[in-house]
């Protein structure tokens, strides 16, 4: 099994669910405060045209499809 297949399996098991935006941000930036982690993730999302709309949402959570898009662009946290 090549590396790509392994990452896809890991992502499928972990990321096919709804995530709170701060919860997901804390997975990417576990060593900083939750609010700072969200601000940092939002900044990253803004810089990627395909994900910029996710940074502007008023919802406090990401749907499974949105989470998958984020992980595909930023990698598995």
């Amino acid at each position: 099994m090549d590396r790509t297949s392994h990452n896809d399996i890991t992502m499928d098991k972990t990321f096919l669910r709804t995530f709170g935006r701060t919860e997901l941000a804390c997975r990417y930036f576990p060593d900083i405060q939750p609010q700072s982690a969200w601000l940092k993730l939002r900044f990253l999302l803004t810089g990627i045209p395909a994900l910029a709309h996710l940074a502007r949402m008023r919802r406090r959570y990401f749907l499974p499809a949105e989470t998958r898009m984020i992980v595909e662009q930023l990698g598995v946290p």
Side-chain angles (χ1 to χ4, degrees):
M1 177 182 284
D2 63 78
R3 181 180 291 269
T4 304
S5 297
H6 178 69
N7 286 341
D8 289 343
I9 291 169
T10 303
M11 187 172 73
D12 286 342
K13 287 181 181 177
T14 306
F15 293 98
L16 283 180
R17 70 176 186 89
T18 300
F19 271 89
R21 64 185 190 188
T22 304
E23 177 187 6
L24 186 61
C26 286
R27 286 190 176 224
Y28 279 102
F29 307 105
D31 297 329
I32 61 177
Q33 294 294 316
Q35 182 62 27
S36 297
W38 162 240
L39 293 174
K40 198 167 185 173
L41 179 60
R42 188 175 70 179
F43 178 77
L44 287 177
L45 295 176
T46 303
I48 301 171
L51 302 177
H53 70 283
L54 298 175
R56 295 187 302 267
M57 289 189 324
R58 294 187 151 253
R59 261 193 282 129
R60 292 184 176 259
Y61 57 89
F62 294 118
L63 299 172
E66 295 165 340
T67 302
R68 179 178 283 275
M69 289 172 29
I70 292 168
V71 172
E72 285 174 353
Q73 291 290 322
L74 300 180
V76 177

